[in-house]
């Protein structure tokens, strides 16, 4: 065994110095120098049986550890994943893409061939940096061991600095095997927040809010990413300005307590409903990034005569899809705190009360519409549960659970029917399938590190589950406590719904191609083959007892819950 201290040794030691405790990955030959160094360290290697599983686990872990870090400065919220050269990095792109939408602080690495060998275009050869660049905040390759300390420090800082997101570092074998000095590790240093914003723009936003008739607050996931204090700031701001509150389209974190009197709804990706909910003289967008429809919309979602106030820690999002009459680039929580302070002095109590009365009236008028979005009427003779019945039972059985969601067509019953507080949920923000199950595994690992871990429920539709069912192996291998609930309608319902949205008609009018799981996959046997306990639930009455058994048991449990469309 060589005695020299190598680039791989420095890489691993720096991870430990930065507070990293886990490296997720799927190993390959070009990664062996790193794996050899990990074997001599205190880092735990978390094996995924596919590279995209490794990335998804790292992302769910990092999103959850970020919540932990809001309460404990000693927690390192970044996830680290090590992939296998070109095909492995390509396999991981789906969940790197998801991490970019979710703003996950992720340091993605991959081994590579030696630089003096690539001209022969050997097996597994490819351009790693360009491949992943569009989905990362920064993508680079460490071509000299002397550059490794600075580039690694930079990678963590870029990933962790708002707006957070994934970065990529290529680690060639010759760089990793080259001798270096352990004293070259560079300290990470403090990570800044996004600041308090331009004072002039904050003042201008205050003026516009004082003059507003019916202000509407649309909150996006950058609020939750800024911390529980930012969610509290959103509550204070909403109460002070007297605004009704919505979550942005495809919101995937809890940015406002949904049991609050001023909370109305998440905005659905439907042009008519979205336009109606954002119809007002003044709309304040805070921390938004996905607030548009899935399919092309014919008309503007926000009227041209609407006054728009934009607040975000991501300058790219400010004024992106609607002109901004006031534009504040800064930490969402800190900016809302300033707006609250100013409005508390300037907004008349009578005006605030009038606005709150309007909110109450609007909420009452929308109650039936919102409720209707969450209920599936059972077809005659069908004994399967509705998605709303499943969600109601989950909420009643495990009200304090931490939910990792990729329910897709089962998502809106979850959002509408389960009142959640800050840090209660993460979901798949990127839209591509295959995030939810591995992210649930990563979240369960993160929760296991706390003194008082929460119950973790992976709420994963059958189409999503079938992307990476072998994620269950990693949860079993690492002895995690995880309950996976699969709302199973045995088809890609989202594609059928979108077919009708594009072409019109009902199910009877279409011969759907490639959208049904016929014959169905036996999810129970599949889960059991990976070491989990599993159970099929066929009626609404069976859900509660089955979920209680799963939550009471240690280890990994999968409930295949049959639901109707």
């Amino acid at each position: 065994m060589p005695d020299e201290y190598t680039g791989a040794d420095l890489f691993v030691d720096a991870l430990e110095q930065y507070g990293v405790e886990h490296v997720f990955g799927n190993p390959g030959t070009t990664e062996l120098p790193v794996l050899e160094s990990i074997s001599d360290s205190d880092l735990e290697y978390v094996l995924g049986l596919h590279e995209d599983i490794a990335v998804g686990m790292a992302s769910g872990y990092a999103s959850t550890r970020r919540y932990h870090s809001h309460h404990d400065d000693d927690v390192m919220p970044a996830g680290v994943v090590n992939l296998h050269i070109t095909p492995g990095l390509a396999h991981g792109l789906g969940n790197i893409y998801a991490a970019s939408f979710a703003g996950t602080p992720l340091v993605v690495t991959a081994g590579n061939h030696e630089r003096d060998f690539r001209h022969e275009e050997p097996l597994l050869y490819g351009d790693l940096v360009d491949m992943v660049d569009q989905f990362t905040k920064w993508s680079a390759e460490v071509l000299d061991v002397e550059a490794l300390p600075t580039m690694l420090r930079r990678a963590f800082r870029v990933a962790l600095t708002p707006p957070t997101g994934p970065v990529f570092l290529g680690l060639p074998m010759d760089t990793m095997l080259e001798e270096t000095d352990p004293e070259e590790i560079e300290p990470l240093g403090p990570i800044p927040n996004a600041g308090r914003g331009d004072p002039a723009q904050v003042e201008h936003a205050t003026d516009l809010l004082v003059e507003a008739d019916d202000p509407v607050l649309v909150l996006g996931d950058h609020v939750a990413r800024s911390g529980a204090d930012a969610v509290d700031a959103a509550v204070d701001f909403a109460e002070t300005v007297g605004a009704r509150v919505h979550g942005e389209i495809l919101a995937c974190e809890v940015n406002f307590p949904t049991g609050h009197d001023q909370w109305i709804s998440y905005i659905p990706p439907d042009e008519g409903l979205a336009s109606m909910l954002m119809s007002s003289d003044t709309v304040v967008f805070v921390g938004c990034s996905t607030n548009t429809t899935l399919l092309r919309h014919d008309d503007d979602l926000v009227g041209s005569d609407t006054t728009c106030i934009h607040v975000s820690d991501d300058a790219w999002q400010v004024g992106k899809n609607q002109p901004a009459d006031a534009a504040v680039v800064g930490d969402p929580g800190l900016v809302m705190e300033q707006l609250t302070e100013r409005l508390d002095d300037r907004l008349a109590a009578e005006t605030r009360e009038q606005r709150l009365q309007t909110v109450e009236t609007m909420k009452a008028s929308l109650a039936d519409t919102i409720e209707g979005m969450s209920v599936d009427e059972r077809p005659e003779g069908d004994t399967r549960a509705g998605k709303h019945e499943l969600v109601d039972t989950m909420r009643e059985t495990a009200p304090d659970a931490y939910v990792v969601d990729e329910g897709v067509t089962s998502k809106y019953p979850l959002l509408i029917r389960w009142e959640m507080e800050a840090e209660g949920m993460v979901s798949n923000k990127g839209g591509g399938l295959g995030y939810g199950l591995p992210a649930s595994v990563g979240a369960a690992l993160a929760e296991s590190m706390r003194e008082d871990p929460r119950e973790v429920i992976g709420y994963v539709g059958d189409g999503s589950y079938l992307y990476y069912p072998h994620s269950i192996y990693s949860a079993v291998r690492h002895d995690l406590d995880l309950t996976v609930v699969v709302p199973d309608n045995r088809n890609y319902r989202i594609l059928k719904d979108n077919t009708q949205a594009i072409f019109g008609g009902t199910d009877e009018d279409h011969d759907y191609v490639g959208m049904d799981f016929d014959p169905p996959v036996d999810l129970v046997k599949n889960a059991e083959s990976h070491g989990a306990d599993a159970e099929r639930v066929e009626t609404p009455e069976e859900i509660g007892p089955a979920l209680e058994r799963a939550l009471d048991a240690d280890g990994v449990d999968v409930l295949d819950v049959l639901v109707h469309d």
Side-chain angles (χ1 to χ4, degrees):
M1 299 289 290
D3 293 329
E4 66 268 13
Y5 186 86
T6 67
D9 295 326
L10 186 145
F11 173 78
V12 168
D13 286 351
L15 296 186
E16 290 192 293
Q17 182 169 302
Y18 293 165
V20 174
E21 298 183 49
H22 298 88
V23 175
F24 299 82
N26 181 271
T29 301
T30 48
E31 291 70 44
L32 290 179
V34 170
L35 297 176
E36 186 72 12
S37 294
I38 288 176
S39 71
D40 293 328
S41 75
D42 291 328
L43 295 176
E44 182 175 5
Y45 187 86
V46 183
L47 173 65
L49 299 184
H50 183 283
E51 284 88 354
D52 212 28
I53 291 175
V55 178
M57 290 192 299
S59 188
Y61 172 89
S63 293
T64 305
R65 290 297 276 171
R66 174 170 52 196
Y67 287 156
H68 301 169
S69 73
H70 295 156
H71 309 280
D72 183 351
D73 292 338
D74 292 332
V75 170
M76 162 51 72
V80 178
V81 59
N82 186 237
L83 307 179
H84 178 39
I85 202 168
T86 312
L89 183 58
H91 286 160
L93 285 181
N95 277 326
I96 295 173
Y97 169 86
S100 69
F101 267 79
T104 309
L106 208 60
V107 177
V108 182
T109 63
N112 205 348
H113 289 299
E114 297 89 338
R115 288 162 294 164
D116 62 359
F117 180 44
R118 297 180 195 175
H119 64 284
E120 297 187 23
E121 298 187 358
L123 192 69
L124 307 175
Y125 167 82
D127 189 332
L128 306 183
V129 172
D130 281 354
M131 180 193 301
V132 74
D133 182 65
Q134 64 178 310
F135 305 128
T136 59
K137 291 182 67 180
W138 181 53
S139 178
E141 186 173 24
V142 185
L143 300 179
D144 190 310
V145 73
E146 293 185 4
L148 177 61
T150 297
M151 294 182 74
L152 186 59
R153 174 181 57 81
R154 183 185 301 164
F156 274 87
R157 292 189 61 81
V158 172
L160 290 167
T161 300
T164 56
V167 300
F168 172 75
L169 278 185
L171 305 175
M173 283 191 70
D174 50 343
T175 302
M176 292 294 96
L177 291 171
E178 191 171 347
E179 190 170 356
T180 189
D181 186 341
E183 295 183 3
E184 294 299 319
I185 295 174
E186 297 183 1
L188 185 59
I191 304 298
N193 61 39
R196 298 172 62 84
D198 180 347
Q201 287 299 309
V202 173
E203 191 62 34
H204 183 41
T206 304
D207 292 339
L208 295 176
L209 286 167
V210 170
E211 297 164 4
D213 293 326
D214 176 27
V216 174
L217 177 57
V218 179
L219 296 172
D221 292 327
H222 288 248
V223 175
R225 295 176 203 170
S226 298
D229 289 347
V231 178
D232 292 340
V235 172
D236 292 341
F237 175 54
E239 291 175 347
T240 300
V241 77
R244 59 182 165 95
V245 184
H246 297 275
E248 71 170 326
I249 297 172
L250 206 63
C252 288
E253 302 187 50
V254 182
N255 304 294
F256 196 88
T258 58
H260 192 281
D261 287 343
Q262 288 169 249
W263 172 261
I264 305 295
S265 70
Y266 291 94
I267 300 174
D270 174 271
E271 177 181 350
L273 288 171
S275 298
M276 182 266 289
L277 294 174
M278 290 187 286
S279 177
S280 179
D281 70 301
T282 304
V283 180
V284 187
F285 296 98
V286 181
C288 296
S289 60
T290 54
N291 196 55
T292 190
T293 53
L294 175 64
L295 302 174
R296 178 185 180 275
H297 50 86
D298 294 324
D299 299 308
D300 292 338
L301 298 180
V302 178
S304 60
D305 57 348
T306 300
T307 296
C308 291
I309 299 168
H310 288 231
V311 178
S312 182
D313 57 10
D314 186 352
W316 175 252
Q317 300 296 338
V318 174
K320 184 177 73 174
N321 289 338
Q322 290 87 29
D325 295 280
V328 187
V329 178
D331 180 277
L334 296 179
V335 173
M336 285 189 288
E337 284 179 4
Q338 294 175 84
L339 290 171
T340 299
E341 291 171 1
R342 286 165 166 77
L343 288 164
D344 192 45
D345 293 333
R346 294 185 52 189
L347 194 63
E350 181 180 354
T351 300
R352 183 179 299 111
E353 288 305 314
Q354 290 174 345
R355 290 178 180 180
L356 290 174
Q357 183 60 53
T358 301
V359 172
E360 184 178 347
T361 302
M362 182 74 163
K363 186 167 186 172
S365 69
L366 289 171
D368 289 343
T369 299
I370 294 169
E371 171 74 10
M373 291 167 52
S374 73
V375 175
D376 298 313
E377 296 297 336
R378 181 180 292 111
E380 186 175 352
D382 198 327
T383 60
R384 296 173 297 176
K387 297 159 191 167
H388 63 291
E389 294 173 301
L390 171 57
V391 168
D392 288 349
T393 305
M394 289 169 56
R395 183 195 66 233
E396 293 163 3
T397 307
D400 299 320
Y402 177 49
V403 179
V404 181
D405 163 65
E406 190 171 291
V408 190
T409 51
S410 300
K411 175 174 180 158
Y412 275 87
L414 177 74
L415 295 181
I416 292 169
R417 304 183 73 85
W418 194 327
E419 291 183 357
M420 288 190 178
E421 299 290 331
E423 302 178 359
M425 178 193 74
V426 291
S427 185
N428 178 6
K429 199 170 182 66
L433 300 189
Y435 167 84
L437 188 57
S440 300
V441 177
L445 176 59
E447 280 297 314
S448 73
M449 300 168 69
R450 304 177 80 187
E451 290 185 8
D452 186 20
R454 295 175 288 180
E455 295 277 5
V456 177
I457 294 180
Y459 180 67
V460 184
D462 54 323
S464 300
Y465 183 94
L466 288 170
Y467 263 61
Y468 298 131
H470 42 316
S471 304
I472 294 296
Y473 169 82
S474 296
V476 173
R477 174 187 173 97
H478 291 276
D479 196 26
L480 299 179
D481 189 18
L482 172 65
T483 299
V484 179
V485 176
V486 183
D488 183 1
N489 57 9
R490 296 181 170 176
N491 69 92
Y492 290 126
R493 184 69 243 178
I494 185 66
L495 296 182
K496 294 181 179 181
D497 291 346
N498 289 341
T499 297
Q500 293 177 26
I502 295 170
F503 300 105
T506 64
D507 284 346
E508 287 71 27
D509 299 310
H510 299 281
D511 184 12
Y512 297 117
V513 176
M515 301 182 197
D516 289 288
F517 305 143
D518 185 16
V521 177
D522 191 329
L523 300 186
V524 171
K525 289 183 179 178
N526 184 287
E528 290 174 342
S529 76
H530 294 297
D533 291 325
E535 182 176 350
R536 182 171 296 111
V537 181
E538 299 184 352
T539 67
E541 296 75 23
E542 297 173 4
I543 298 172
L547 184 55
E548 287 179 357
R549 287 192 293 272
L551 293 169
D552 289 343
D554 294 329
V556 183
D557 291 84
V558 176
L559 298 183
D560 176 20
V561 182
L562 301 188
V563 296
H564 63 74
D565 282 339

